Amino acid sequence: MISRAERILFMGMLIAAVIMAAILIRLRERAQDRLHALQTSTPLAEAVEALPTAVTLLIPNDADNSLQESQRSLPLPHDESARAHVLLETLLESFKEPSSTHPIAGAGGSSSARGLDIDEVFLMPLPQARDGAPNPGKMAVVNFSTAFAQSHPSGIEPETLTLLSIIGTLHANLPAITQVRFLVDGHPRDTLAGHADLTRVYLASSTDSEGGR
Amino acid sequence: MRWTDAVLRGALTFALLPPLSLAVGHARQTQPPSASTPLPPPPPSPSVPSPTPPNVAPRFLVVLDAAHGGDDTGARIADHLLEKDITLSLSARLLSMVSAHGIGVITIRDYDVNLSATSRAEAANRMSAAACILIHATATGSGVHLYTSSLAPTPITRFMPWQTAQSGYVTQSLKLSSEIDSALAHAEIPVTLGRTSLQPMDSLACPAVAVEVAPLAAGSATKAEPLSDAAYQRSILDALTAAIDEWRNDWRQQP
Ligand SMILES: [Zn+2]
């Protein structure tokens, strides 16, 4: 038999649980608001600092399987990851131009808003070499949007050219980047659009794609 | 009922305090440094022995792999034309043309089925083939794209890591590619050469070249032809047959 006191205690605990849940939800909302405010304010602060910088883009040409250097002047943020992101968005934007030699509609089609092809670019320090010497290079992890991967033409040549132009453009402007990995929507994927291998690490120290896994 | 208030208040203070601090701690923890970032997985550890030791086969054998198949359609070439169907038809026709020259040919895919890269490599590596031709098609670019593995060449050992088995054959693959390049150039078909990382090519223990057929763009010496053009396909297949024939002559002269 449950005593009256136990029943009251149970009711008390139940009320406490409900109040606690309400407080938790409110706290979570506030934390999210703060996080959101932080995220939206950071790029604005960066944009103020951005100064026009001469950059080299490696533009692919499907007709002869080549990469052509193209000089541009871009406002680049100070932060290295943000610089890499702006560089690559500009590169992929050039693929959408009407005169493009490597046409890719990209996220949202040919008239899309900027900045939807690559979700993020992360830069990570490389592990020490086997002999213990510090490795000054960095690995760039390029996270494509699903929309970009879906709009990418399928074929060994178009896919390989996209990867090589990204790797080459990163290394040409940020020489510290010596390795590149690719993700789609935050996840590892077998191929970009059915061909070029996205499971491996690409070496950026040379213009070709040679390297180990 | 005053004592129930006391109980309730007591229960409330007891129940509320620790979870509150927990909740705040949790809210802080969920603030990511930049955004939720899954780290890339560690590279796969490739130490599976190659199923066939790279012996020189006594017989000159060619492996043809019609890429894609089943629900892997490959590239969409035109409204009703899929890469998987073109590769299958090219592979079947190349089989009969090369066989007519008295050369042993094995095809990896003979109907519309999805084969994994691993099963393709296993089937090819069992053959100790003198040449492995991977047939692809694309709507991008012009002419024929010849691709060899971007792996750095290494000496052939008895146990090659499965995922990079091709590294022992890269030098031969480049020779085979240049043989095919000359034959296509002779047929006045534009060729681009490249290196790439493509499955199952990197796992193949044989001289391997990916032959990607693209439509013919109008140029100074060429008129535009769609990939479906029978004469264009025929000229590519003739050139590939001639190259394989030439490769057999080179192969016979090897020590
Ligand atoms: Zn293909």
Short mmCIF file of all heavy atoms in Angstrom, two decimals, chain B residues 30 37 41-42 62 81 84-85 95 100 116 122 126 134 147 161 164 197 199-200 207 217 231 234 236 250:
data_model
loop_
_atom_site.label_atom_id
_atom_site.label_comp_id
_atom_site.label_asym_id
_atom_site.label_seq_id
_atom_site.Cartn_x
_atom_site.Cartn_y
_atom_site.Cartn_z
N THR B 30 27.94 21.98 -25.82
CA THR B 30 27.44 21.86 -27.19
C THR B 30 27.90 23.01 -28.07
O THR B 30 27.68 22.99 -29.26
CB THR B 30 25.91 21.80 -27.22
OG1 THR B 30 25.43 22.88 -26.43
CG2 THR B 30 25.39 20.49 -26.70
N THR B 37 32.15 19.30 -36.80
CA THR B 37 33.12 18.89 -37.81
C THR B 37 33.50 17.45 -37.64
O THR B 37 34.27 17.13 -36.76
CB THR B 37 34.40 19.70 -37.64
OG1 THR B 37 34.07 21.02 -37.32
CG2 THR B 37 35.24 19.63 -38.88
N PRO B 41 38.15 10.16 -41.48
CA PRO B 41 38.57 8.91 -40.86
C PRO B 41 40.03 8.64 -41.17
O PRO B 41 40.55 9.17 -42.14
CB PRO B 41 37.67 7.89 -41.56
CG PRO B 41 37.37 8.50 -42.88
CD PRO B 41 37.34 9.97 -42.67
N PRO B 42 40.67 7.84 -40.32
CA PRO B 42 42.07 7.52 -40.63
C PRO B 42 42.13 6.77 -41.95
O PRO B 42 41.18 6.07 -42.30
CB PRO B 42 42.49 6.63 -39.45
CG PRO B 42 41.20 6.10 -38.90
CD PRO B 42 40.16 7.15 -39.15
N VAL B 62 43.95 -10.30 -72.47
CA VAL B 62 43.48 -8.93 -72.28
C VAL B 62 42.18 -8.96 -71.46
O VAL B 62 41.31 -9.78 -71.73
CB VAL B 62 43.22 -8.24 -73.64
CG1 VAL B 62 42.62 -6.85 -73.44
CG2 VAL B 62 44.52 -8.16 -74.43
N LEU B 81 20.50 7.89 -73.25
CA LEU B 81 21.78 7.21 -73.41
C LEU B 81 22.58 7.29 -72.12
O LEU B 81 22.94 8.38 -71.67
CB LEU B 81 22.56 7.87 -74.56
CG LEU B 81 23.74 7.09 -75.13
CD1 LEU B 81 23.33 5.69 -75.57
CD2 LEU B 81 24.34 7.84 -76.30
N LYS B 84 26.60 3.38 -68.72
CA LYS B 84 26.71 1.93 -68.48
C LYS B 84 26.36 1.12 -69.73
O LYS B 84 26.89 0.04 -69.94
CB LYS B 84 25.82 1.52 -67.31
CG LYS B 84 24.32 1.71 -67.55
CD LYS B 84 23.49 1.04 -66.47
CE LYS B 84 22.00 1.12 -66.82
NZ LYS B 84 21.16 0.40 -65.87
N ASP B 85 25.44 1.64 -70.56
CA ASP B 85 25.04 0.91 -71.76
C ASP B 85 26.08 1.05 -72.87
O ASP B 85 26.37 0.09 -73.59
CB ASP B 85 23.67 1.42 -72.25
CG ASP B 85 22.58 1.19 -71.20
OD1 ASP B 85 22.63 0.13 -70.53
OD2 ASP B 85 21.72 2.06 -71.04
N LEU B 95 35.59 -7.08 -77.63
CA LEU B 95 35.84 -8.51 -77.38
C LEU B 95 35.89 -9.27 -78.70
O LEU B 95 36.85 -10.02 -78.97
CB LEU B 95 34.75 -9.08 -76.46
CG LEU B 95 34.61 -10.60 -76.39
CD1 LEU B 95 35.81 -11.21 -75.64
CD2 LEU B 95 33.32 -11.02 -75.69
N ALA B 100 39.16 -11.80 -82.78
CA ALA B 100 39.36 -12.12 -84.20
C ALA B 100 40.84 -12.08 -84.58
O ALA B 100 41.25 -12.66 -85.59
CB ALA B 100 38.56 -11.18 -85.08
N SER B 116 30.96 -4.55 -57.75
CA SER B 116 31.78 -3.69 -56.90
C SER B 116 33.18 -3.58 -57.49
O SER B 116 33.62 -4.44 -58.25
CB SER B 116 31.86 -4.27 -55.49
OG SER B 116 32.66 -5.43 -55.52
N GLU B 122 39.28 -8.29 -58.32
CA GLU B 122 39.56 -9.71 -58.05
C GLU B 122 39.49 -10.53 -59.33
O GLU B 122 40.37 -11.35 -59.61
CB GLU B 122 38.54 -10.26 -57.03
CG GLU B 122 38.93 -9.96 -55.59
CD GLU B 122 37.81 -10.31 -54.60
OE1 GLU B 122 36.72 -10.74 -55.04
OE2 GLU B 122 38.06 -10.11 -53.41
N ARG B 126 42.97 -12.27 -61.10
CA ARG B 126 43.11 -13.73 -61.24
C ARG B 126 43.73 -14.11 -62.58
O ARG B 126 44.26 -15.18 -62.74
CB ARG B 126 41.72 -14.39 -61.13
CG ARG B 126 41.34 -14.81 -59.73
CD ARG B 126 40.22 -15.82 -59.75
NE ARG B 126 38.97 -15.26 -60.27
CZ ARG B 126 38.07 -14.63 -59.53
NH1 ARG B 126 38.28 -14.48 -58.24
NH2 ARG B 126 36.96 -14.16 -60.07
N LEU B 134 39.92 -0.41 -69.00
CA LEU B 134 38.68 -0.02 -68.34
C LEU B 134 37.96 0.95 -69.26
O LEU B 134 38.52 1.99 -69.63
CB LEU B 134 38.97 0.66 -67.00
CG LEU B 134 39.65 -0.23 -65.94
CD1 LEU B 134 41.16 -0.12 -66.03
CD2 LEU B 134 39.20 0.14 -64.56
N TYR B 147 43.52 7.57 -69.21
CA TYR B 147 43.98 7.79 -67.83
C TYR B 147 44.74 6.59 -67.31
O TYR B 147 44.32 5.44 -67.49
CB TYR B 147 42.79 8.09 -66.91
CG TYR B 147 42.41 9.55 -66.95
CD1 TYR B 147 41.47 10.03 -67.84
CD2 TYR B 147 43.04 10.47 -66.11
CE1 TYR B 147 41.14 11.38 -67.89
CE2 TYR B 147 42.74 11.82 -66.15
CZ TYR B 147 41.78 12.26 -67.04
OH TYR B 147 41.48 13.59 -67.09
N PRO B 161 50.12 -4.25 -51.52
CA PRO B 161 48.90 -3.81 -50.82
C PRO B 161 47.75 -3.75 -51.82
O PRO B 161 47.91 -3.23 -52.93
CB PRO B 161 49.26 -2.41 -50.31
CG PRO B 161 50.75 -2.34 -50.37
CD PRO B 161 51.19 -3.27 -51.46
N THR B 164 46.74 -0.46 -53.56
CA THR B 164 47.72 0.23 -54.39
C THR B 164 48.50 -0.76 -55.25
O THR B 164 49.63 -0.50 -55.63
CB THR B 164 48.70 1.04 -53.52
OG1 THR B 164 49.31 0.15 -52.58
CG2 THR B 164 48.00 2.15 -52.77
N SER B 197 43.11 8.96 -59.74
CA SER B 197 42.90 7.92 -58.74
C SER B 197 41.49 7.40 -58.95
O SER B 197 40.52 8.10 -58.71
CB SER B 197 43.05 8.54 -57.35
OG SER B 197 42.99 7.53 -56.39
N GLN B 199 38.90 3.79 -58.92
CA GLN B 199 38.70 2.37 -58.57
C GLN B 199 37.95 1.70 -59.72
O GLN B 199 37.08 2.31 -60.31
CB GLN B 199 37.93 2.25 -57.27
CG GLN B 199 38.73 2.65 -56.05
CD GLN B 199 40.06 1.92 -55.91
OE1 GLN B 199 40.26 0.85 -56.49
NE2 GLN B 199 40.99 2.50 -55.18
N PRO B 200 38.27 0.46 -60.07
CA PRO B 200 39.24 -0.43 -59.43
C PRO B 200 40.66 -0.31 -59.98
O PRO B 200 41.50 -1.12 -59.63
CB PRO B 200 38.69 -1.81 -59.78
CG PRO B 200 38.10 -1.63 -61.14
CD PRO B 200 37.56 -0.23 -61.18
N PRO B 207 49.09 -4.17 -66.39
CA PRO B 207 49.18 -2.86 -67.05
C PRO B 207 47.75 -2.38 -67.35
O PRO B 207 47.01 -3.10 -68.02
CB PRO B 207 49.96 -3.15 -68.32
CG PRO B 207 50.69 -4.44 -68.05
CD PRO B 207 49.79 -5.22 -67.14
N ALA B 217 34.26 16.99 -80.51
CA ALA B 217 33.92 18.41 -80.68
C ALA B 217 34.39 18.86 -82.05
O ALA B 217 35.37 18.34 -82.59
CB ALA B 217 34.58 19.24 -79.59
N ALA B 231 30.05 5.36 -86.84
CA ALA B 231 31.36 5.43 -87.49
C ALA B 231 32.44 5.89 -86.51
O ALA B 231 33.57 5.39 -86.51
CB ALA B 231 31.29 6.37 -88.69
N ARG B 234 33.24 3.07 -84.22
CA ARG B 234 33.97 2.05 -84.97
C ARG B 234 35.45 2.44 -85.09
O ARG B 234 36.34 1.61 -84.92
CB ARG B 234 33.31 1.90 -86.35
CG ARG B 234 34.01 0.97 -87.30
CD ARG B 234 33.67 -0.48 -86.99
NE ARG B 234 34.70 -1.36 -87.53
CZ ARG B 234 34.60 -2.68 -87.57
NH1 ARG B 234 33.54 -3.28 -87.08
NH2 ARG B 234 35.57 -3.41 -88.07
N ILE B 236 37.17 4.30 -83.09
CA ILE B 236 37.83 4.16 -81.78
C ILE B 236 38.15 2.68 -81.52
O ILE B 236 39.26 2.34 -81.11
CB ILE B 236 36.93 4.72 -80.66
CG1 ILE B 236 36.81 6.24 -80.77
CG2 ILE B 236 37.48 4.34 -79.28
CD1 ILE B 236 35.75 6.86 -79.87
N ASP B 250 55.02 -6.00 -78.58
CA ASP B 250 55.96 -5.50 -77.57
C ASP B 250 56.14 -6.53 -76.46
O ASP B 250 57.23 -6.78 -75.98
CB ASP B 250 55.44 -4.21 -76.90
CG ASP B 250 55.26 -3.07 -77.89
OD1 ASP B 250 55.65 -3.24 -79.06
OD2 ASP B 250 54.72 -2.03 -77.49
#
